[in-house]
C-alpha cells in the first residue's frame, strides 16, 4: 500500500476535521523516517516506502486510535466551577450591599436595573464564555497582527470622537450601556501572545518586535485615564515576553535577556516617576502621591485608607465585627471592597476562603496553560491567566489598605457589566485552549526509531 493511500484511509476515520491535517503530517513524518531507515538497510525507494507503511499497522485501526486521542474535550468541571463561583459572589455581594444602611446603599446606582439585570449579565456572560470555548483559538493566532492593528485603530478612533468621560475614565455608550474603554484593552492580551508566537527564532530582533508591539495597545488606556490598567497590561506583556524567552523561543541567552528586560523596565519606571515628581504637571504629581500614600504608615494617608484599616483592624476569625456599620460608613462602592466587607461581616476566614477559591481557579488555568504542547496555546493562556492573578493580587492589596483601593477590578467581585463580559471572554479563550489541547498540538518529528523486524518481510 502506498503512503498517500494509507494516510487517506486513516484520515477518513477521524471525525474532528481540525485534527486531520495534523495527524496526517505526524504519520507522514513517521513513515518517511522509517522509510529512510529501510533505505539505509539497502532497500529500493518503493520497497522502503511499502515496508514503512506496513509497519504502521492496519489503517482503519490506526485511524480509530487517532480519533480517540485527537478530539476536542470540554472542561465541564472548570465551567461548573466558574458558574458556581460567579453565583456565590453575586449572592454574597447582594447580601452585603443590602445589609448596609440605605444612605450607603448605592447598588441601584452602580447596577442599573438592580440585581435581576446584573444576574442576567452573568447569564449572558456564561453563554459568551461557552461560545468562545467552541471557537478554535488558533484562528486568532493566524490573524493576530491584523486584529491587533484593527483593534488599536478602532478603539483609538472611538476614544477620540465618541467616548464620554465619567469620573476621570472614558466609556463608550451603546444602547444605553456603558463599556469601559480601559477594560476592553485586556482583549489585546491573547492577540499579543499570538503576535509573539510569530517571531519565534528571530533572536533579539524578535524581542525588539515584541516590545514595539506592546506600545499601541498601552497608549489607549493611558489616553483613557487608566494608568493602573497601563501598569497591569504592560506588566502582563512583560511576563509573557519573559516566558517566551525562558521557553527559548528567540534562541538567546535566557537569564541574561530576562534580567535585561526587567532591569530596563525598572530603570524606565524610576525615570518616569522622577519626571512626574519634578517636572510633571501638578495633578500628575498629586495622583502619584495619592497612589503611594497607602504605603506610608504614619500620617497623611487618605481617608479611604484609614477607613479600610479601621474596618480590618478589629475583625475576628469568624463572625461579625463589632461596630461594623460605623466602620463601613465611608464605603461608597461595595464592589471595590467586597473582601474587606466579608472580613468584617463574616470573619477573616470567610474572606480567605473566598479569595482562595478565586485564586485556585486562576492558578489551575495558569498551570494548564504552561503545560500546553502547542506553544501558541501556551502563551495565549498564560497571558489571560496571568492578568487574572495580577488583578486578584492588586484587589487583595487594595482591600488590605496597602494600595489605593478602586484602582483595579477583580474578576467575579464587582458590579461592572463590561468587566464581567470581558472576563467571560478571556475565560472562554482559556477553555478553548483546553478544549483543543489534543487537536492542535504541535507536531514533532522523532528521529530515534526502533529496528523493525518486518522490514525483511516487506522486502520479500
Amino acid at each position: 500500500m502506498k503512503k498517500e493511500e494509507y494516510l487517506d484511509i486513516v484520515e477518513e476515520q477521524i471525525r474532528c476535521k481540525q485534527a486531520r491535517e495534523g495527524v496526517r503530517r505526524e504519520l507522514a513524518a513517521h513513515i518517511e523516517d522509517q522509510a529512510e531507515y529501510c533505505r539505509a538497510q539497502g532497500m529500493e525507494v518503493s520497497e522502503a516506502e511499502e515496508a514503512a507503511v506496513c509497519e504502521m499497522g492496519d489503517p482503519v485501526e490506526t485511524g480509530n486510535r487517532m480519533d480517540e486521542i485527537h478530539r476536542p474535550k470540554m472542561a465541564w468541571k472548570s465551567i461548573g466551577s466558574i458558574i458556581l463561583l460567579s453565583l456565590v459572589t453575586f449572592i454574597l455581594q447582594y447580601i452585603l450591599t443590602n445589609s448596609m444602611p440605605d444612605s450607603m446603599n448605592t447598588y441601584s446606582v452602580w447596577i442599573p436595573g438592580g440585581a435581576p439585570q446584573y444576574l442576567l449579565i452573568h447569564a449572558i456572560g456564561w453563554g459568551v464564555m461557552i461560545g468562545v470555548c467552541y471557537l478554535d483559538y488558533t484562528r486568532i493566532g493566524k490573524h493576530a497582527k491584523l486584529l491587533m492593528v484593527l483593534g488599536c485603530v478602532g478603539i483609538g478612533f472611538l476614544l477620540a470622537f465618541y467616548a464620554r468621560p465619567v469620573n476621570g475614565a472614558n466609556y463608550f455608550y451603546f444602547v444605553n450601556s456603558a463599556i469601559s474603554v480601559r477594560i476592553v484593552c485586556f482583549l489585546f492580551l491573547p492577540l499579543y501572545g499570538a503576535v509573539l508566537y510569530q517571531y519565534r527564532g528571530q533572536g533579539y530582533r524578535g524581542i525588539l518586535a515584541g516590545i514595539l508591539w506592546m506600545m499601541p495597545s498601552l497608549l489607549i488606556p493611558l489616553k483613557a485615564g487608566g494608568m493602573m490598567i497601563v501598569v497591569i497590561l504592560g506588566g502582563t506583556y512583560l511576563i509573557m515576553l519573559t516566558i517566551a524567552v525562558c521557553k527559548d523561543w528567540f534562541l538567546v541567552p535566557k537569564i541574561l535577556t530576562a534580567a535585561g528586560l526587567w532591569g530596563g523596565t525598572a530603570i524606565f519606571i524610576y525615570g518616569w516617576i522622577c519626571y512626574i515628581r519634578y517636572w510633571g504637571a501638578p495633578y500628575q504629581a498629586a495622583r502619584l502621591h495619592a497612589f503611594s500614600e497607602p504605603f506610608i504608615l504614619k500620617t497623611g494617608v487618605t481617608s479611604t485608607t484609614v477607613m479600610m484599616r479601621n474596618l480590618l483592624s478589629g475583625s475576628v476569625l469568624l463572625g461579625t465585627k463589632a461596630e461594623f456599620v460605623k466602620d463601613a460608613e465611608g464605603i461608597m462602592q461595595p464592589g471595590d471592597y467586597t473582601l474587606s466587607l466579608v472580613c468584617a461581616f463574616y470573619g477573616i476566614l470567610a474572606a480567605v476562603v473566598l479569595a482562595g477559591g478565586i485564586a485556585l481557579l486562576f492558578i489551575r488555568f495558569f498551570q494548564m496553560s504552561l503545560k500546553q504542547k502547542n506553544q501558541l496555546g501556551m502563551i495565549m493562556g498564560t497571558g489571560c491567566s496571568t492578568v487574572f492573578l495580577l488583578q486578584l493580587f492588586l484587589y487583595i492589596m487594595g482591600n488590605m489598605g496597602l494600595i489605593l483601593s478602586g484602582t483595579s477590578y477583580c474578576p467575579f467581585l464587582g458590579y461592572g457589566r463590561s468587566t464581567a463580559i470581558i472576563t467571560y471572554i478571556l475565560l472562554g479563550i482559556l477553555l478553548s485552549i483546553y478544549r483543543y489541547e489534543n487537536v492542535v498540538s504541535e507536531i514533532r518529528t522523532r528521529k530515534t526509531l526502533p529496528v523493525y523486524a518486518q522490514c525483511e518481510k516487506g522486502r520479500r
Side-chain angles (χ1 to χ4, degrees), residues 190-202:
L191 295 177
Y192 178 74
V195 169
L196 275 184
Y197 180 80
Q198 298 180 20
Y199 286 98
R200 293 183 304 166
Q202 297 191 23

Side-chain angles (χ1 to χ4, degrees), residues 126-138:
W126 301 334
V128 170
M129 176 182 69
I130 294 175
V132 173
C133 173
Y134 274 95
L135 296 177
D136 184 357
Y137 71 92
T138 59

Side-chain angles (χ1 to χ4, degrees), residues 71-364:
R71 63 167 58 181
K73 55 182 180 179
M74 289 294 288
W76 291 114
K77 290 183 179 179
S78 296
I79 294 173
S81 299
I82 291 169
I83 294 175
L84 178 62
L85 192 58
S86 62
L87 285 174
V88 169
T89 54
F90 167 79
I91 294 171
L92 182 60
Q93 290 180 109
Y94 178 79
I95 294 173
L96 287 172
T97 307
N98 286 274
S99 299
M100 300 172 67
D102 292 338
S103 61
M104 292 184 290
N105 191 342
T106 57
Y107 197 80
S108 60
V109 175
W110 294 100
I111 311 176
Q117 187 177 107
Y118 193 64
L119 186 58
L120 176 62
I121 293 296
H122 272 296
I124 293 173
W126 301 334
V128 170
M129 176 182 69
I130 294 175
V132 173
C133 173
Y134 274 95
L135 296 177
D136 184 357
Y137 71 92
T138 59
R139 295 179 181 178
I140 299 175
K142 292 178 182 178
H143 310 286
K145 291 181 179 178
L146 177 61
L147 291 173
M148 204 160 184
V149 170
L150 291 177
C152 289
V153 172
I155 296 176
F157 177 80
L158 293 175
L159 179 62
F161 296 102
Y162 296 100
R164 284 195 236 164
V166 179
N167 295 329
N170 287 274
Y171 289 82
F172 300 137
Y173 284 85
F174 179 74
V175 193
N176 295 324
S177 296
I179 302 176
S180 171
V181 178
R182 300 176 298 181
I183 299 301
V184 171
C185 293
F186 287 126
L187 293 179
F188 286 119
L189 285 168
L191 295 177
Y192 178 74
V195 169
L196 275 184
Y197 180 80
Q198 298 180 20
Y199 286 98
R200 293 183 304 166
Q202 297 191 23
Y204 287 110
R205 177 177 175 273
I207 294 175
L208 178 60
I211 295 173
L212 293 177
W213 272 99
M214 298 180 187
M215 303 307 172
S217 57
L218 292 177
L219 291 175
I220 293 174
L222 184 64
K223 179 67 175 177
M227 180 54 67
M228 178 54 71
I229 301 298
V230 174
V231 174
I232 295 170
L233 194 62
T236 307
Y237 283 158
L238 186 59
I239 291 172
M240 295 171 70
L241 183 57
T242 303
I243 290 174
V245 169
C246 293
K247 290 288 185 177
D248 208 20
W249 280 17
F250 305 107
L251 307 177
V252 296
K254 293 182 282 188
I255 297 178
L256 182 63
T257 304
L261 287 173
W262 286 93
T265 302
I267 294 172
F268 174 80
I269 292 174
Y270 179 76
W272 175 78
I273 291 174
C274 291
Y275 172 81
I276 294 296
R277 182 176 179 183
Y278 296 108
W279 297 287
Y283 77 91
Q284 293 177 323
R287 285 182 179 178
L288 183 63
H289 179 70
F291 180 76
S292 61
E293 237 181 351
F295 293 101
I296 305 172
L297 300 180
K298 299 178 181 179
T299 60
V301 293
T302 62
S303 58
T304 302
T305 307
V306 173
M307 178 271 297
M308 297 298 298
R309 292 175 181 174
N310 289 339
L311 191 65
L312 297 174
S313 61
S315 296
V316 294
L317 187 62
L318 286 174
T320 304
K321 174 189 174 182
E323 303 292 330
F324 166 75
V325 173
K326 180 180 178 181
D327 289 336
E329 287 179 354
I331 295 182
M332 297 304 295
Q333 298 183 42
D336 292 334
Y337 309 100
T338 298
L339 285 180
S340 296
L341 292 174
V342 169
C343 194
F345 200 81
Y346 297 108
I348 298 173
L349 184 60
V352 171
V353 170
L354 177 61
I358 299 174
L360 285 176
L361 176 68
F362 296 148
I363 290 172
R364 182 177 183 276

Side-chain angles (χ1 to χ4, degrees), residues 414-428:
Y415 301 131
R417 290 174 293 183
S418 55
T419 57
I421 296 300
I422 297 300
T423 295
Y424 285 121
I425 291 175
L426 294 178
L427 287 171

